[in-house]
Amino acid sequence: MSQLRCPKCESMEATKSGVVGGRQRFKCKNCGYHYSVAKTGKETSSYYVIKALQLYVEGVSYREIERLLGVSHVSVMNWVKKYGVKAPRQTDYHPTYKILNQKELAEFFQKPENLKEAGLIVTELGDKYMMIRWERFKQA
């Protein structure tokens, strides 16, 4: 019998634990977790998981990440919880972002004034690039 790894603790030690919905069910001897041999649903590419977590750390909201990457904001929340990612408190800086193609990005970097008084990160986003800037809030 071909054993699968426990999805919770990755252990190979399991016992049969009945049949649910026509599928064999197992119970992990290590952690007590019940699981089935075949998981239904689709798996998201790790590329999108990493990009979503990067955006979250940079201060982009769940809904905005959903619009940018095309993945559910609930999935993003679940990934944040699963991987224990915490965004730092941002009181002095405000992130803004733009989606640019290669030509627009090159034109942006040619102007010296665009590179002053702000933090900047550029990351690939499919066939385009996302540029995130942090500018200090102006004190009145």
Side-chain angles (χ1 to χ4, degrees):
M1 179 175 87
S2 172
Q3 283 280 58
L4 296 177
R5 292 187 180 275
C6 172
K8 192 169 184 182
C9 72
E10 300 292 322
S11 172
M12 294 288 285
E13 299 290 320
T15 58
K16 287 185 176 182
S17 184
V19 177
V20 175
R23 297 184 308 180
Q24 179 65 55
R25 184 176 182 208
F26 294 94
K27 180 179 181 182
C28 178
K29 289 182 179 179
N30 189 35
C31 69
Y33 184 72
H34 288 274
Y35 61 97
S36 298
V37 277
K39 183 179 177 188
T40 58
K42 64 178 186 172
E43 186 174 327
T44 305
S45 165
S46 61
Y47 172 83
Y48 289 103
V49 175
I50 292 167
K51 289 296 178 189
L53 294 175
Q54 285 175 339
L55 292 171
Y56 175 75
V57 168
E58 300 306 334
V60 180
S61 72
Y62 292 129
R63 297 268 183 182
E64 200 60 32
I65 294 170
E66 177 180 42
R67 286 188 278 276
L68 287 168
L69 299 180
V71 296
S72 166
H73 66 279
V74 176
S75 294
V76 177
M77 286 189 281
N78 289 336
W79 297 331
V80 166
K81 188 188 302 183
K82 178 179 179 180
Y83 296 109
V85 175
K86 294 193 188 278
R89 289 195 165 268
Q90 299 174 351
T91 55
D92 294 340
Y93 294 92
H94 175 66
T96 57
Y97 67 90
K98 289 182 183 178
I99 306 296
L100 306 169
N101 63 32
Q102 187 173 2
K103 181 182 176 191
E104 293 168 333
L105 188 63
E107 290 171 359
F108 179 84
F109 280 116
Q110 287 176 350
K111 297 177 185 171
E113 64 270 10
N114 288 338
L115 304 176
K116 294 180 182 175
E117 298 183 16
L120 182 69
I121 187 170
V122 177
T123 184
E124 179 187 12
L125 190 61
D127 62 342
K128 299 197 185 238
Y129 299 92
M130 179 168 37
M131 179 182 62
I132 303 171
R133 287 176 55 108
W134 299 269
E135 298 183 67
R136 282 192 181 268
F137 287 120
K138 306 257 185 201
Q139 299 285 335

